[in-house]
Amino acid sequence: MKRLFVLAICAIFVFSFANTVCAATEITVLINGEKAEFDVPPQIIGNRTMVPMRKTFDLLGAKVEWIAEMRMAVATYSTYIVSMPIGADSFTVTNVLTNETVEHELDVPAQIVNDRTLIPLRAVSAALGKNVSWDGATSTAKIDG
């Protein structure tokens, strides 16, 4: 019994250390081949790569507005409106030409970190139709299209 307890403590220590190492890893984001610079760095939250929405969308040609009373970021891109509420398990993309709205689920909700809205990297692909890839060996996200 004592040996099992010691083993459990060791496992907790190892996994705690592993999470700390992962959190300290710098994440690089390349947008159309160019390294993006952020004032709040991309980070892993809930096992998902989270990126600052405004800067990422700006670099892709979208315009982002913050609606404080709704705690929601709204982006416009071409004929699309992306509504990203903070803390919700989904967001919507509306095509203003067809008046079609598609709801996308999120594993990790958009959240505010250091006054910036962070969104899951894959939401960029779903929202703007961009190609998104992740290289785990180098902790590099690539967004193209």
Side-chain angles (χ1 to χ4, degrees):
M1 184 69 162
K2 190 174 184 180
R3 189 185 324 215
L4 185 59
F5 178 75
V6 171
L7 186 60
I9 294 297
C10 288
I12 290 170
F13 176 77
V14 168
F15 287 115
S16 295
F17 180 72
N19 284 340
T20 302
V21 171
C22 290
T25 302
E26 181 180 330
I27 298 168
T28 301
V29 177
L30 301 176
I31 297 178
N32 294 321
E34 298 289 324
K35 183 178 179 183
E37 299 293 335
F38 301 100
D39 57 351
V40 173
Q43 48 200 272
I44 305 295
I45 300 174
N47 213 25
R48 294 289 179 246
T49 303
M50 305 288 281
V51 296
M53 182 175 174
R54 180 179 300 276
K55 182 69 173 191
T56 302
F57 278 41
D58 281 350
L59 290 171
L60 291 166
K63 299 296 180 205
V64 179
E65 294 182 44
W66 174 249
I67 303 173
E69 57 275 2
M70 297 180 74
R71 291 185 43 84
M72 179 185 309
V74 176
T76 55
Y77 178 77
S78 183
T79 61
Y80 298 97
I81 298 172
V82 179
S83 302
M84 186 77 64
I86 301 301
D89 59 0
S90 65
F91 71 99
T92 60
V93 178
T94 302
N95 183 329
V96 295
L97 289 181
T98 63
N99 204 28
E100 178 186 4
T101 299
V102 177
E103 186 171 335
H104 298 274
E105 290 186 21
L106 295 169
D107 293 339
V108 176
Q111 49 200 275
I112 297 175
V113 175
N114 296 331
D115 293 326
R116 296 292 179 259
T117 300
L118 296 187
I119 62 170
L121 178 64
R122 291 280 174 205
V124 176
S125 175
L128 303 179
K130 303 297 180 183
N131 297 317
V132 177
S133 62
W134 172 254
D135 182 346
T138 62
S139 297
T140 301
K142 295 178 184 177
I143 305 171
D144 295 300

